[in-house]
Amino acid sequence: LTGFKWLANCSAKLCEEKSLIHLLAYEEAIGYQLSPMVKDKDGVSASGVFCEMAVHWHSKGTTIRGRLDQLSQQVGYFATHNGYFLCYEPEVMAKIFDDFRNGGKYPTVVGDLELSSVRDVTKGLDTGTADGKSHLPATPKDQMMTLCFKDGSVITLRGSGTEPKLKYYTESSDPTGSEAAQKRAQSVAEVVIKHVLRPAEHGLQPPKTG
């Protein structure tokens, strides 16, 4: 499910078929669609809505940051930790994912972290659903898998559709603060890198610097 088209097109279809109203579409790479007029990520309309929100919460005696802190105290503090490795061999990319699949017998533990479910979008499978099927459209030509852990953390692994990259996106939360959430997200990513990606074994290269 790479690309904002999946979000915009799906929203447009649902609005047309079910008479729904588009409210928000968002992707990890800081893309927002807040208007049904522009069916794509659009920073202009998003900045306008942000300004409206700032004025609204100012009238209530707080700021956007203050409102975010209020929400965090209610539902927890959330953080992400994302990155990628360079992988120039498609066969190696496929092997990493296939090794984890283990012929359909997905692991229940990664390092010292217990898994609650695995969503394998490539195969159209999800061990966390009643019917064992992913609710996201299957992408058999692209490698993509999401690991859900019992502590609530989630990491998605996928191959880039345009670059020789194996990307990972980690999300974690913590009730005590954003710093603790950030540390947890980084820790989860490190465990998955060590036990699933195994860069040295698979010849994965870290991002180039400079």
Side-chain angles (χ1 to χ4, degrees):
L1 297 177
T2 57
F4 205 86
K5 62 184 180 183
W6 287 97
L7 301 174
N9 291 349
C10 184
S11 173
K13 182 178 180 181
L14 288 173
C15 288
E16 180 179 352
E17 294 180 351
K18 300 187 178 183
S19 300
L20 299 178
I21 299 175
H22 175 89
L23 293 179
L24 169 69
Y26 161 80
E27 72 164 349
E28 179 274 335
I30 316 302
Y32 295 88
Q33 180 197 352
L34 291 159
S35 168
M37 302 299 293
V38 181
K39 296 178 175 60
D40 201 345
K41 65 179 77 172
D42 178 36
V44 177
S45 58
S47 63
V49 173
F50 187 88
C51 290
E52 288 181 340
M53 186 165 55
V55 171
H56 171 78
W57 289 112
H58 177 74
S59 71
K60 301 293 184 180
T62 186
T63 63
I64 290 179
R65 179 69 193 195
R67 178 55 179 160
L68 179 61
D69 287 340
Q70 292 174 2
L71 293 172
S72 297
Q73 291 169 15
Q74 294 176 26
V75 301
Y77 295 81
F78 289 77
T80 61
H81 182 80
N82 309 325
Y84 68 88
F85 286 93
L86 295 169
C87 181
Y88 294 98
E89 301 295 333
E91 297 80 7
V92 173
M93 179 88 71
K95 180 180 183 303
I96 292 172
F97 283 84
D98 286 340
D99 284 352
F100 188 83
R101 290 183 179 109
N102 191 33
K105 299 178 180 179
Y106 298 93
T108 57
V109 175
V110 176
D112 59 351
L113 300 176
E114 290 187 81
L115 283 162
S116 58
S117 66
V118 176
R119 182 176 63 206
D120 189 345
V121 179
T122 305
K123 300 295 185 180
L125 303 175
D126 190 335
T127 64
T129 60
D131 60 3
K133 296 181 180 179
S134 171
H135 293 166
L136 297 177
T139 58
K141 295 183 179 180
D142 301 306
Q143 299 292 346
M144 180 173 173
M145 188 181 298
T146 298
L147 314 183
C148 301
F149 297 92
K150 288 189 176 181
D151 72 346
S153 298
V154 175
I155 186 168
T156 295
L157 308 172
R158 74 172 182 89
S160 170
T162 58
E163 302 172 291
K165 294 179 179 179
L166 199 170
K167 298 184 176 183
Y168 59 89
Y169 308 86
T170 318
E171 305 171 30
S172 293
S173 66
D174 192 280
T176 63
S178 57
E179 184 176 346
Q182 189 65 58
K183 288 182 178 179
R184 178 174 295 186
Q186 182 174 346
S187 176
V188 169
E190 290 173 349
V191 169
V192 172
I193 289 170
K194 178 180 179 181
H195 295 279
V196 179
L197 303 188
R198 306 194 297 278
E201 176 185 338
H202 294 118
L204 304 181
Q205 300 178 24
K208 296 179 180 179
T209 59

